[in-house]
Amino acid sequence: MQIFPRSLNKLPLVAGAGAALALPAVVFAVWYWFSPWYTDVGYEPRQPVAYSHRLHAGELGIDCRYCHTGVEKSPVAMVPPTQTCMNCHASVKTDSAKLALVRDSWKTGKPIQWVKVHKEPDYVFFDHSVHVSGGVGCVSCHGRIDQEEVVRQTQPLSMGWCLECHRDVKQNQGASAFIRPVSQVTNMEWVRKSDEVVTPPRPLNPPENCGGCHR
Ligand code: HEC
Ligand code: HEC
Ligand code: HEC
Ligand code: HEC
Ligand code: HEC
């Protein structure tokens, strides 16, 4: 007499196949969710000095380029040297405890050890100047820095993310949501009026070929 239906004879086989699939599935999930696409967004390391973009770039309205002097003319935006802070803090808040490390750095000449937030791997070629001069605003890649007390990565900076914009810009040029007038690149509040088309400074042709970004 048969207790179990015949179809259940296949059960061990099915279970085995399931187990064989489960392991790669777990590996894939771990690789996917813990890869930079997911883990880097939200990265917000503690900095040695409680410098606030919300105060300086937001409330005081200091332009990004006053401190990030490389952003229009070189691959790197650069984090400002202590001297830039002392342009003001030699006379502003001279006895603040929050600025003690800044004053020490100025006296000793030892740079402040700011912790890097946004970082591409070495095999990726990225140049700020070509983006900024093409009409891509800081806010597209860094979010509302002017509202942040502590800098936080808001975009994945992954290959898919780079390519999504490159494709859109190549196709839509000045009608792309990623392009604004060059005069507005550091303006965090600029918004395009509905169906406003921007005239890009040059015909835009961002690379989609591998060698464009992996040189
Ligand atoms: C253009 C002038 C200017 C520059 C440049 C500047 N700051 Fe400031 N900073 C200010 C002003 C104004 C305040 C607010 C003072 C107040 O609250 O009355 C301030 C406040 C601060 C505070 C808070 C101090 C406290 O006791 O609350 C810190 C920390 C600080 N700045 C760090 C920096 C650092 C680091 C740099 C360089 C990267 C820098 N600042 C560059 C003008 C400047
Ligand atoms: C008064 C100087 C000053 C101004 C103005 C300023 N920044 Fe910064 N910025 C800094 C300093 C100092 C750091 C490094 C410490 C930190 O991350 O908070 C920094 C860090 C950053 C970073 C992160 C760098 C990294 O390690 O990845 C970004 C992105 C950035 N700034 C964008 C902007 C943008 C966009 C604006 C204009 C809206 C701006 N900053 C205005 C001083 C400034
Ligand atoms: C097209 C995207 C994009 C735009 C637009 C952009 N950034 Fe960046 N930014 C990045 C990436 C990607 C990195 C990391 C670069 C690396 O690790 O090589 C970065 C890094 C930085 C850093 C860290 C220091 C450095 O130079 O690596 C600062 C500061 C910064 N950006 C400021 C700015 C400011 C200010 C603007 C606007 C004037 C701006 N960025 C516009 C993508 C962008
Ligand atoms: C928000 C839109 C946007 C994002 C995001 C973006 N780019 Fe671009 N990229 C552009 C535009 C616009 C140009 C300028 C094209 C031109 O001038 O023809 C460009 C040009 C380039 C170039 C050509 C520069 C040269 O010197 O030949 C490279 C390389 C590049 N991007 C790499 C990247 C990488 C890597 C990322 C991601 C980390 C990225 N881009 C993210 C819009 C973007
Ligand atoms: C617009 C710029 C851009 C182009 C074009 C591009 N890549 Fe990438 N690629 C990136 C960035 C940025 C990363 C780093 C991603 C990260 O760290 O999250 C990357 C990472 C990679 C990696 C490592 C992936 C990993 O999982 O670590 C490989 C492999 C790669 N790219 C191959 C290619 C090939 C092949 C092409 C052409 C079909 C190509 N890339 C075109 C920007 C680009």
Side-chain angles (χ1 to χ4, degrees), residues 132-171:
V132 174
S133 73
V136 185
C138 317
V139 71
S140 294
C141 302
H142 295 301
R144 287 302 296 265
I145 296 267
D146 64 322
Q147 296 177 346
E148 290 173 357
E149 211 54 68
V150 179
V151 176
R152 179 172 172 275
Q153 181 173 325
T154 59
Q155 301 298 317
L157 308 187
S158 62
M159 183 159 122
W161 175 78
C162 310
L163 282 167
E164 191 182 311
C165 178
H166 281 197
R167 291 201 183 104
D168 193 77
V169 167
K170 191 172 210 159
Q171 204 179 352

Side-chain angles (χ1 to χ4, degrees), residues 36-37 120-121 123-124 157-159 162-163 166 207-210 213-214:
W37 284 260
E120 288 294 357
Y123 57 81
V124 174
L157 308 187
S158 62
M159 183 159 122
C162 310
L163 282 167
H166 281 197
E208 287 171 46
N209 61 314
C210 318
C213 300
H214 304 295

Side-chain angles (χ1 to χ4, degrees), residues 80-92:
T82 303
Q83 179 59 54
T84 308
C85 313
M86 292 310 278
N87 290 349
C88 291
H89 288 293
S91 52
V92 175

